[in-house]
Amino acid sequence: SPEQEAEMMDQELALAQCMRAEGIDWPDPSGGGNVMIDLGENVDPDALDAALDKCSKEVFGDTGGLIIGGETP
């Protein structure tokens, strides 16, 4: 529904703002739900994990809501 899409967009935007506050160069969401983010090679994986953990809990609560795929080279 449009309400659910708006809520998801608000959550994704809040996540992006939180990640940037944690020092991660995280883009604003473009909508559509599936977000592919290229953080480049200069990101500390431990800092990224810590920021994702903190921000996903702040934005989505303990239920998660954020699915991370891929591997760190």
Side-chain angles (χ1 to χ4, degrees), residues 2-51:
E3 293 84 13
Q4 288 172 319
E5 287 179 25
E7 183 179 349
M8 260 182 34
M9 190 71 171
D10 287 346
Q11 288 176 329
E12 290 173 13
L13 184 58
L15 179 72
Q17 291 168 338
C18 179
M19 293 296 286
R20 288 193 296 266
E22 293 298 312
I24 305 294
D25 184 18
W26 194 272
D28 281 342
S30 59
N34 293 331
V35 181
M36 295 298 293
I37 297 169
D38 181 6
L39 298 174
E41 297 178 10
N42 298 323
V43 176
D44 177 350
D46 294 332
L48 176 62
D49 286 346

